[in-house]
């Protein structure tokens, strides 16, 4: 762009610098789906995603100063003599970041909101940034303001797309390991559905599962998941890895007697299968009698039951004690701030004690730091799952991960670093 000229960062305090000719501009680009992507690729990988977006904008605007100024915001500073430079820069930034970004095994699709402001080149840069922030806030409100499309129409289209994807063999499973903290061993993994879209790359479940759930059309996808998990499990076993695979179970399926019959038949046809189902307490509360009866049917054929997202919704001891569950998963809401909160450690420790009293093992999901893993070890938590251990992996990388026992590096020597910290929550 001939209208852009190199400029020192907008926050520069060099009072002797010669004011450039033209107007100073500031564009702020915000990654609006930061939290969604963070849950998929992990907190440690997010800086790499942001830097990849910075590199794309730098390539598109070589004369601008492009800086990541927050975990989800990129600042683009420029000088322009063209009065239309601001909308042009915004458009170039958005266009540069349209295509998916490959981070490890994930194809991340960034969703951006961008806006900015211009001012006199010799003006106060702080004021310009404040104006750009206000413009970005307006842009975010404008994106959220339009009335939502009719969910039923969109859901119907998405369900048709999912059915076609199953017909074409575009669905696949990734697996996230659960490590047993004391034994430093991986005995089970959680199956997570991915869509290998021919045009969009790897589509994450947040983009297609909610519509399928709302329409209560999870039966086919779940039966496919069971069959695929059994197939993948046999492939792992052939390589010397015998791990139990846990599958997420939608709430409405627990009340569906026909689905339960089909699922039990599929599992009974594979006597070597080692499966588990993860269910939420909320799904049980919808139809307690039917759900508990069906869970007991699964339990009778060797399927282990795990209570998922414990603490995130309605937690009822009346139902918890009736469930044939062997495992309780503490929601990541309490784990991600475990080492920085005063209350979360107390809640987690009391939940661990409760689960152990009910003869259940405890899994902490969302473990992203060694400090959190160390504190969980001191508390007596049985298993950990999260990006500090491993992100979700396709079948071949999972086999390699298990064969190399890469999880041992994450779990060794975790107890000692939090012995002193443990005294605080024990006194509490």
């Amino acid at each position: 762009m001939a209208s852009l000229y190199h400029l020192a960062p907008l926050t520069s305090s060099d009072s002797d610098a010669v004011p450039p000719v033209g107007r100073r501009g500031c564009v702020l680009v915000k990654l609006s789906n930061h939290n969604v992507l963070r849950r998929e690729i992990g907190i440690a990988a997010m800086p790499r995603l942001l830097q990849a977006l910075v590199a794309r904008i730098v390539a598109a605007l070589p004369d601008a100063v492009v800086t990541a100024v927050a975990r989800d915001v990129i600042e683009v500073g420029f000088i322009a003599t063209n009065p239309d430079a601001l909308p042009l820069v915004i458009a170039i930034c958005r266009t540069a970041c349209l295509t998916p970004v490959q981070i490890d095994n994930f194809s991340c699709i960034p969703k951006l909101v961008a806006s900015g402001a211009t001012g006199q080149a010799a003006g106060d840069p702080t004021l310009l940034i404040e104006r750009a922030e206000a413009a970005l806030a307006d842009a975010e409100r404008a994106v959220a303001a339009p009335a939502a499309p009719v969910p039923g129409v969109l859901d119907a289209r998405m369900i048709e797309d999912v059915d076609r994807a199953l017909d074409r063999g575009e669905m696949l499973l990734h697996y996230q390991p659960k490590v047993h903290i004391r034994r430093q061993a991986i005995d089970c993994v959680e199956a997570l559905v991915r869509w290998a879209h021919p045009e969009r790359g790897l589509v994450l479940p947040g983009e297609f599962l909610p519509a399928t759930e709302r329409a209560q059309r999870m039966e086919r996808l779940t039966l496919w998941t069971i069959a695929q998990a059994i197939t993948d499990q046999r492939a792992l076993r052939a390589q010397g890895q015998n791990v139990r695979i846990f599958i997420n179970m939608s709430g409405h399926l627990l009340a569906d007697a026909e689905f339960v019959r089909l699922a039990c038949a599929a599992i009974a046809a594979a006597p070597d299968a080692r499966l588990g189902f993860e269910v939420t307490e909320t799904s049980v509360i919808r139809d307690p009698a039917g759900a508990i009866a069906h869970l007991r049917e699964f339990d009778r054929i060797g399927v282990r039951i795990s209570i998922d997202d414990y603490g995130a919704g309605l937690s009822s001891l009346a139902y918890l004690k009736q469930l044939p569950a062997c495992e309780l998963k503490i929601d990541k809401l309490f784990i991600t701030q475990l080492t920085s909160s005063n209350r979360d450690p107390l809640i987690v420790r009391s939940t661990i004690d409760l689960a152990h009293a009910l003869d259940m093992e405890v899994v902490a999901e969302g473990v992203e730091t060694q400090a959190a893993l160390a504190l969980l070890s001191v508390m007596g938590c049985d298993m950990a799952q999260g990006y500090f251990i491993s992100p979700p992996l396709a079948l071949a990388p999972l086999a390699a991960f298990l064969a190399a026992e890469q999880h041992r590096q994450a779990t060794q020597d975790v107890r000692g670093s939090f012995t002193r910290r443990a005294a605080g929550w024990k006194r509490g």
Side-chain angles (χ1 to χ4, degrees):
M1 283 176 57
S3 59
L4 298 181
Y5 298 90
H6 182 74
L7 176 66
L10 294 179
T11 54
S12 172
S13 59
D14 185 0
S15 58
D16 297 328
V18 178
V21 178
R23 293 180 66 80
R24 187 190 299 261
C26 175
V27 167
L28 298 178
V29 181
K30 184 170 183 178
L31 185 61
S32 61
N33 62 337
H34 174 277
N35 290 338
V36 173
L37 294 175
R38 176 184 177 276
R39 286 193 293 271
E40 295 299 331
I41 69 174
I43 189 172
M46 288 304 296
R48 284 190 287 147
L49 173 59
L50 202 64
Q51 286 305 318
L53 297 178
V54 167
R56 289 186 177 190
I57 296 174
V58 168
L61 297 169
D63 295 324
V65 175
V66 186
T67 311
V69 295
R71 66 175 189 169
D72 57 354
V73 177
I74 298 170
E75 179 186 290
V76 182
F78 61 96
I79 288 292
T81 55
N82 182 345
D84 298 325
L86 179 61
L88 184 57
V89 171
I90 293 173
I92 290 174
C93 290
R94 294 180 61 86
T95 302
C97 301
L98 277 178
T99 56
V101 181
Q102 194 69 26
I103 301 293
D104 299 328
N105 294 322
F106 295 93
S107 181
C108 303
I109 302 176
K111 294 182 180 178
L112 305 177
V113 178
S115 193
T118 58
Q120 293 298 324
D124 184 355
T126 302
L127 180 60
L128 178 60
I129 293 174
E130 290 176 351
R131 290 175 55 201
E133 289 174 342
L136 179 64
D138 289 342
E140 289 184 284
R141 283 192 289 270
V143 169
V150 180
V153 176
L154 295 181
D155 288 358
R157 292 173 184 169
M158 180 59 71
I159 292 165
E160 290 178 3
D161 289 343
V162 170
D163 282 339
R164 282 194 292 267
L166 287 168
D167 292 336
R168 293 192 293 254
E170 294 172 0
M171 292 295 180
L172 70 154
L173 296 180
H174 282 189
Y175 298 95
Q176 188 168 36
K178 305 176 187 179
V179 63
H180 198 285
I181 299 173
R182 290 187 299 279
R183 292 192 284 105
Q184 296 186 358
I186 292 178
D187 300 320
C188 54
V189 297
E190 179 183 357
L192 300 164
V193 180
R194 301 290 188 263
W195 181 357
H197 196 283
E199 298 175 357
R200 298 171 56 192
L202 200 63
V203 179
L204 300 174
E207 297 194 39
F208 60 90
L209 282 188
T212 314
E213 286 265 15
R214 283 193 297 269
Q216 297 191 1
R217 291 281 299 276
M218 288 293 295
E219 177 180 323
R220 185 184 178 194
L221 182 58
T222 306
L223 290 173
W224 172 87
T225 302
I226 292 171
Q228 188 62 47
I230 292 172
T231 299
D232 289 351
Q233 190 174 64
R234 287 172 177 162
L236 288 172
R237 191 178 294 120
Q239 300 179 58
Q241 305 297 336
N242 188 18
V243 294
R244 186 179 296 274
I245 297 177
F246 279 82
I247 297 166
N248 288 284
M249 183 63 61
S250 177
H252 73 271
L253 292 179
L254 287 179
D256 187 337
E258 177 61 15
F259 167 80
V260 172
R261 185 188 68 80
L262 293 172
C264 287
I267 297 168
D272 59 339
R274 298 180 65 226
L275 300 181
F277 288 157
E278 296 192 2
V279 301
T280 64
E281 285 185 287
T282 304
S283 66
V284 174
I285 291 172
R286 293 175 183 175
D287 177 17
I292 292 172
H294 290 153
L295 287 175
R296 287 175 177 164
E297 284 189 48
F298 289 130
D299 182 58
R300 278 194 294 270
I301 63 173
V303 176
R304 291 170 68 89
I305 306 301
S306 174
I307 307 302
D308 196 12
D309 298 337
Y310 185 80
L314 298 173
S315 298
S316 170
L317 296 179
Y319 295 125
L320 188 62
K321 69 178 183 179
Q322 298 180 59
L323 299 177
C326 63
E327 180 181 292
L328 185 145
K329 293 185 73 174
I330 302 176
D331 188 77
K332 65 181 68 177
L333 172 70
F334 301 101
I335 305 301
T336 52
Q337 300 183 44
L338 188 62
T339 58
S340 59
S341 166
N342 292 325
R343 292 188 175 184
D344 285 356
L346 298 174
I347 295 171
V348 170
R349 177 54 195 267
S350 63
T351 302
I352 292 172
D353 290 342
L354 171 65
H356 287 169
L358 295 172
D359 293 325
M360 287 190 283
E361 289 191 304
V362 180
V363 179
E365 57 179 343
V367 177
E368 298 190 347
T369 65
Q370 185 177 22
L373 183 62
L375 186 50
L376 289 165
S377 175
V378 173
M379 290 177 171
C381 185
D382 301 291
M383 288 179 279
Q385 178 182 359
Y387 282 84
F388 184 70
I389 309 301
S390 169
L393 300 169
L395 185 63
L398 173 66
F401 178 88
L402 295 173
E405 296 190 329
Q406 295 179 28
H407 59 280
R408 291 190 179 275
Q409 183 177 358
T411 54
Q412 64 185 358
D413 300 328
V414 295
R415 293 182 66 91
S417 62
F418 263 86
T419 301
R420 180 175 300 176
R421 175 71 179 269
W425 51 259
K426 284 180 179 176
R427 285 195 301 271

